[in-house]
Amino acid sequence: MNAIRPPSALREGALAFLARYDGLKARLPGDPALRAAAAELFRAGGLPGPREEAWRYTFLRPLVEQEFHEPLVPLADCGPLLARLPAIDAPRLVFVDGRYRGDLSVPPVQAMVTTGAPALGPLARPESEKMVALNTMLAEDGAEIAVPAGVDAGTLLLVSLGTDAHGRAVAFHPRHAVHLAAGARLTLIEICMGEGAYLHNPVLSATIEAGATLTHLRLQDEAKGAFHLSTVYADVAEGGTYDSFALNLGARLARMEVHARLAGPGAAAHLNAAQLLSGNQHGDFTTVVAHDAPNTQSRQTVKNVLTGNARGVFQGKIEVARAAQKTDGYQMNQALLLSPGAEINCKPQLEIYADDVKCSHGATVGELDAAQLFYLRSRGVPEAEARAILVRAFLSEALDPITHEAGRAALEQAVAAWWETQAA
Amino acid sequence: MLEIKGLTAEIDGKQILRGIDLVVPDGEVHAIMGPNGSGKSTLGYVLAGRDGYEVTGGTATFDGVDILAMEPEQRAAAGLFLAFQYPVELPGVNNANFLRTALNAIRRAHGEAELDAVQFLKLARAESKRLSMPEDTLKRNVNVGFSGGEKKRNEVLQMALLRPRIAILDETDSGLDIDALKIVADGVNALRGPAFSALVITHYQRLLDHIVPDRVHVLAGGRIIRSGGPELAHALEAEGYAAMVAEAA
Ligand SMILES: Nc1ncnc2c1ncn2[C@@H]1O[C@H](COP(=O)(O)OP(=O)(O)OP(=O)(O)O)[C@@H](O)[C@H]1O
Ligand SMILES: [Mg+2]
């Protein structure tokens, strides 16, 4: 049997990361055996490539063409970046180039936080997700966040800043874990920003016990020259909820991959997202929802607004196990193409092994509606403003369900700022 | 004063308007009647500046200014308003926000201060009450799920708020119940005055009982084939268009 060999560019890109691991491994914190196993997996499989079904539409060639260095001890003045953070009155954990910066952080009171080592968590699957293997091999730091049973821990910001202070691209692979004990609640607002070129490859695993609710609002607003390849695992027990919204608008190449497992009866996951992409950006939102228990519910409303020569990808897989009767799964992917050069690739996948389920999915692709545009303009609204109104309206089914006021305001602000840079 | 001379226009290469001549002086209300497909809505769209309607000849001026060269939003700022025959639904756009955005855009164009949310809501609530619109109309998405009559009333609400100098009402009466017809007519009549004029497109004499026009024009085959006083509408109601169209041919 011939082993499938990844294209040589991807193989070489993988070698650079492996060389880094070989040089660093003696100094890396955490369980060396776990890392060694991940390194073996990564050595055998390399970076994911277009020959794999899950990576057909997202090609990592630009990533391997970039040379990455080890982050230096961060001396960078993060003032300008911090000033761009949305004003949300909440405790925050700030990572700079993947390392926790206590001096910039305000730890929460109601949740317990540990930093200084990768928070490996129980859920990640380095054996099947190559970017997770890479993360496991090279993770240096991360936040472990735990909320005790029955506690409402309010809002917590998890901030990643990528710097380019030394003019050399860096790669960082933080590893976070969130644990909500039974009945606990937390709103985690994750914000990724930066400047220059870098690779941010975070993995976050969230364990949501019975009746607990994690609201996860994510703003991916990385620097124009950055790569963002993130993986989230959420495991939801009986009656628990993983309620998430991701805004994918930064980086030159971004993939936000989410694996949600509804493990107990009545568990629910909302994986809403919006991708706003322009120029030569490539954005990918990939989800896998596993309904493993009866009466579980999943909702995915994904909106894409693409201009220039941007490429958007949505892949959404819903797996319904034999035991998961009365599953209610809904998935909708819609794209607004604002220029002839923009492109969307959409791949819904349903794998259903139970017989009494309700699963629906749909996709639409279109342009701004000429009649709607004219209606607004005929009322005196200038064309640029009319277009902005219609784009915002298109996003509303994904944005409006966000009940966290400050979080929604921050996301709205990011959408408005994005639109202003398009109109300018 | 709206002055249209020899206006011809086509859609997708198909000629629809074949030379319209029409003058609506300030302070007057003119009605346009005519068979289905004769070009009434096309005239409204051409005047409002909709894409895809190509003017191939003639002129249209408002107070001597060529409106055909303007963008739709500039025509609105100049005081022109079109109440759509088929109002457009805007899912995801809140009606109050829509109305405020429109009003403020026009106020901005006039160099007037914008209204804040509180000032605007006070005004909008008063106007919508005057039009007997359901309480929640302002909170809903623009025209989404509105009944036919509610959509038409929402057009009149927009007109009332934007206070145009010339309003083109394209079958604003169709789909209205008898009480609503009266309310809408009152809305138009409330704006009547020396600085307001209107072009009322309708199929029914009934509306013209409430909004008594100064002139009535019959549009057929892309031309105005007959003009007269209010009595012309009564004659049409009795006789239909066939004879008149045959005579004009
Ligand atoms: N987009 C289009 N493409 C081709 N023909 C069109 C288009 N829009 C309108 N027309 C045609 O133009 C003609 C005039 O249409 P218009 O809507 O102006 O008529 P109308 O007088 O308003 O009719 P009604 O009383 O039914 O509202 C009709 O024959 C119509 O089919
Ligand atoms: Mg018509």
Side-chain angles (χ1 to χ4, degrees):
Chain A
M1 197 187 92
N2 281 330
I4 296 173
R5 286 151 64 89
S8 63
L10 293 179
R11 236 179 18 241
E12 274 164 32
L15 288 178
F17 289 113
L18 285 161
R20 180 137 338 110
Y21 168 69
D22 289 334
L24 277 177
K25 61 184 169 194
R27 289 189 281 128
L28 288 168
D31 180 353
L34 235 138
R35 272 182 204 289
E40 268 332 294
L41 286 163
F42 190 70
R43 206 180 293 278
L47 285 163
R51 290 178 201 180
E52 287 157 66
E53 188 57 32
W55 287 83
R56 251 178 63 199
Y57 300 113
T58 295
F59 192 23
L60 293 181
R61 178 183 271 281
L63 178 75
V64 300
E65 284 167 355
Q66 173 83 51
E67 196 187 339
F68 294 106
H69 302 267
E70 189 53 24
L72 300 172
V73 179
L75 305 164
D77 168 23
C78 301
L81 277 173
L82 282 172
R84 280 174 42 205
L85 272 186
I88 298 174
D89 184 20
R92 66 186 192 196
L93 307 174
V94 179
F95 287 76
V96 177
D97 293 344
R99 289 175 184 153
Y100 182 65
R101 284 279 295 267
D103 58 322
L104 304 176
S105 300
V106 182
V109 179
Q110 304 280 21
M112 289 169 295
V113 172
T114 315
T115 55
L120 291 166
L123 304 174
R125 290 195 299 254
E127 67 286 0
S128 46
E129 266 75 58
K130 290 172 174 172
M131 295 310 296
V132 177
L134 174 60
N135 173 285
T136 308
M137 176 173 95
L138 287 172
E140 286 181 52
D141 204 343
E144 185 168 352
I145 301 160
V147 183
V151 170
D152 183 344
T155 303
L156 175 63
L157 304 189
L158 179 60
V159 178
S160 167
L161 306 179
T163 69
D164 194 20
H166 304 276
R168 48 209 275 293
V170 297
F172 44 97
H173 315 263
R175 184 67 167 262
H176 308 294
V178 178
H179 180 255
L180 300 194
R185 302 179 77 86
L186 175 69
T187 296
L188 184 68
I189 302 181
E190 195 184 343
I191 297 168
C192 305
M193 298 190 323
E195 48 196 11
Y198 55 87
L199 163 64
H200 183 201
N201 172 221
V203 172
L204 182 148
S205 73
T207 311
I208 298 158
E209 304 279 9
T213 296
L214 176 64
T215 301
H216 191 191
L217 305 179
R218 310 170 69 193
L219 170 57
Q220 187 283 98
D221 191 13
E222 307 274 19
K224 285 262 166 289
F227 298 87
H228 175 101
L229 296 161
S230 61
T231 310
V232 167
Y233 296 90
D235 232 40
V236 190
E238 180 166 0
T241 301
Y242 176 64
D243 184 7
S244 73
F245 171 86
L247 181 57
N248 200 16
L249 57 70
R252 57 186 284 203
L253 188 159
R255 167 153 158 145
M256 302 179 88
E257 182 168 332
V258 183
H259 298 255
R261 192 168 84 92
L262 302 172
H270 304 154
L271 308 179
N272 293 343
Q275 307 199 85
L276 310 184
L277 306 168
S278 61
N280 290 312
Q281 274 183 298
H282 179 104
D284 176 338
F285 187 65
T286 290
T287 64
V288 180
V289 179
H291 289 262
D292 282 356
N295 286 306
T296 49
Q297 190 208 54
S298 65
R299 292 273 172 280
Q300 303 179 63
T301 299
V302 178
K303 301 273 183 168
N304 307 272
V305 179
L306 308 174
T307 76
N309 294 313
R311 268 154 205 269
V313 178
F314 170 67
Q315 308 185 100
K317 190 171 183 182
I318 300 179
E319 304 168 344
V320 181
R322 188 179 295 277
Q325 299 296 357
K326 306 277 181 206
T327 280
D328 178 1
Y330 169 83
Q331 180 190 95
M332 177 55 81
N333 178 58
Q334 296 184 307
L336 199 50
L337 303 183
L338 299 180
S339 68
E343 189 181 306
I344 177 87
N345 287 295
C346 170
K347 191 177 72 183
Q349 267 178 292
L350 301 183
E351 278 179 16
I352 301 176
Y353 298 104
D355 45 34
D356 183 13
V357 303
K358 200 171 85 189
C359 274
S360 63
H361 68 91
T364 66
V365 180
E367 301 166 13
L368 279 185
D369 185 278
Q372 296 181 337
L373 204 53
F374 173 63
Y375 192 58
L376 282 159
R377 295 180 72 191
S378 77
R379 281 7 181 187
V381 182
E383 183 174 4
E385 197 178 350
R387 294 172 78 87
I389 288 170
L390 293 178
V391 167
R392 175 60 190 81
F394 171 75
L395 296 174
S396 66
E397 283 156 304
L399 281 168
D400 291 352
I402 303 171
T403 51
H404 190 283
E405 285 298 331
R408 194 180 60 218
L411 293 161
E412 296 265 10
Q413 176 57 39
V415 169
W418 180 82
W419 183 256
E420 270 162 36
T421 61
Q422 302 315 305
Chain B
M1 180 165 73
L2 176 69
E3 261 187 297
I4 302 168
K5 282 191 199 139
L7 188 64
T8 57
E10 56 185 47
I11 309 167
D12 288 338
K14 179 177 155 200
Q15 187 162 25
I16 311 289
L17 301 185
R18 300 174 180 272
I20 303 271
D21 292 290
L22 181 65
V23 175
V24 185
D26 287 353
E28 291 194 5
V29 170
H30 289 204
I32 293 189
M33 305 182 83
N36 293 132
S38 58
K40 303 181 297 295
S41 293
T42 301
L43 177 62
Y45 285 142
V46 166
L47 293 175
R50 183 172 188 158
D51 268 351
Y53 290 70
E54 203 196 335
V55 175
T56 49
T59 59
T61 61
F62 187 56
D63 290 345
V65 182
D66 175 15
I67 56 169
L68 298 180
M70 295 178 175
E71 298 295 336
E73 54 269 33
Q74 294 172 321
R75 302 182 199 201
L80 184 129
F81 179 88
L82 171 66
F84 285 51
Q85 181 175 0
Y86 303 108
V88 178
E89 298 186 1
L90 302 178
V93 181
N94 169 273
N95 203 23
N97 286 345
F98 163 70
L99 295 167
R100 182 155 81 99
T101 304
L103 180 56
N104 280 338
I106 285 181
R107 291 180 68 94
R108 233 176 15 242
H110 292 174
E112 294 164 3
E114 296 187 22
L115 297 188
D116 65 29
V118 177
Q119 293 168 315
F120 168 77
L121 272 179
K122 203 171 152 218
L123 184 67
R125 285 211 186 99
E127 290 293 350
S128 55
K129 198 168 163 206
R130 227 150 53 91
L131 292 166
S132 304
M133 298 177 71
E135 286 275 320
D136 64 353
T137 322
L138 291 170
K139 291 187 192 133
R140 289 165 64 178
N141 285 343
V142 180
N143 294 328
V144 178
F146 284 28
S147 74
E150 286 167 353
K151 284 183 182 173
K152 296 300 176 81
R153 270 187 270 182
N154 203 35
E155 295 291 288
V156 177
L157 174 62
Q158 292 167 46
M159 179 181 73
L161 288 167
L162 300 182
R163 306 202 140 264
R165 299 206 33 232
I166 178 154
I168 302 163
L169 303 171
D170 192 354
E171 295 196 28
T172 304
D173 55 334
S174 51
L176 291 181
D177 64 46
I178 297 163
D179 294 343
L181 184 76
K182 176 98 177 41
I183 290 164
V184 162
D186 289 346
V188 177
N189 288 330
L191 292 176
R192 283 182 93 155
F196 175 80
S197 54
L199 206 49
V200 179
I201 298 169
T202 182
H203 285 297
Y204 306 107
Q205 162 59 35
R206 210 179 45 183
L207 176 70
L208 304 180
D209 289 339
H210 297 290
I211 307 175
V212 180
D214 296 284
R215 302 281 292 164
V216 175
H217 309 277
V218 178
L219 203 160
R223 271 194 203 93
I224 290 179
I225 58 165
R226 188 84 166 264
S227 295
E231 72 288 348
L232 181 55
H234 288 282
L236 284 169
E237 188 97 329
E239 294 155 27
Y241 294 112
M244 199 179 289
V245 170
E247 189 185 311

